[in-house]
Amino acid sequence: MTPTLARPDLSHIDAWVFDLDDTLYPSEQGVMALVQARINAFMVDAVGLPADEAKGLQRQFLNEHGTTLAGLMANYSIDPEKFLHDVHDVPLDSLEPNPRLADVIARLPGRKYVLTNGARFHAARVIERIGLTGLFDGVHAIEDMDLTPKPAPSTYRRFLEKFAIDPTRAIFFDDTPKNLTPARSLGMTTVLTDTPEHLAERGLVAGEGIDATAPDLLDFLTPYALKDAA
């Protein structure tokens, strides 16, 4: 069963680490559906299979390698830069600016970071679109991981070392359960930013490695920001 610690004690936290897509904005805003459609099209071209078979192979790559790109690189000769550009170059019209979230993140005690398997330019566009530009002390994207994505443990260690973060004083928010397990094993507090219903739609279960859940990120964070502001 997924823990539902609505208000865990986070007084020790001085580094707030956020996944990007479907975490800093609601999945209902549909950006990842657009990205997925681009991924599907790229897969068909790259592997030369019919759409249904290519989609099945893409899911296999995602499960086995963490990202479609990692699976493609392991099995096919592709240009990773072209992949990252093609699949992330989607319209962001559906994303809504979130000034309340910006205010809350700005008032959280400590440093703030984004840790995403997405491309750098995609992260910058999304952060700007939802109104969070200038709030993060660092953005660690797939290029910064040498294209080795979450949930590879080495990716988390590299991120922590790069920004001199003590994992026992850090909290990590992500909508994918398997991305939380390595973070927790390193000592980070972990928060799942998805609902059981949406996880089921994605064919996922919460599993282990989760300290709390935050299907509404703003609601979860607000008491900690307000406490600090007081």
Side-chain angles (χ1 to χ4, degrees), residues 8-31:
D9 179 11
L10 301 181
S11 59
H12 63 294
I13 296 297
D14 63 14
W16 304 75
V17 185
F18 301 91
D19 174 45
L20 179 74
D21 293 303
D22 292 354
T23 292
L24 287 177
Y25 62 85
S27 61
E28 292 81 7
Q29 293 185 7
V31 171

Side-chain angles (χ1 to χ4, degrees), residues 4 15 17 36 59 63 67 69 77 112 117 152 165 185 202:
T4 55
V17 185
Q36 185 61 56
R59 289 175 177 168
N63 291 332
T67 63
L69 174 58
S77 178
K112 301 98 182 185
N117 283 346
I165 297 171
S185 70
R202 298 163 64 197

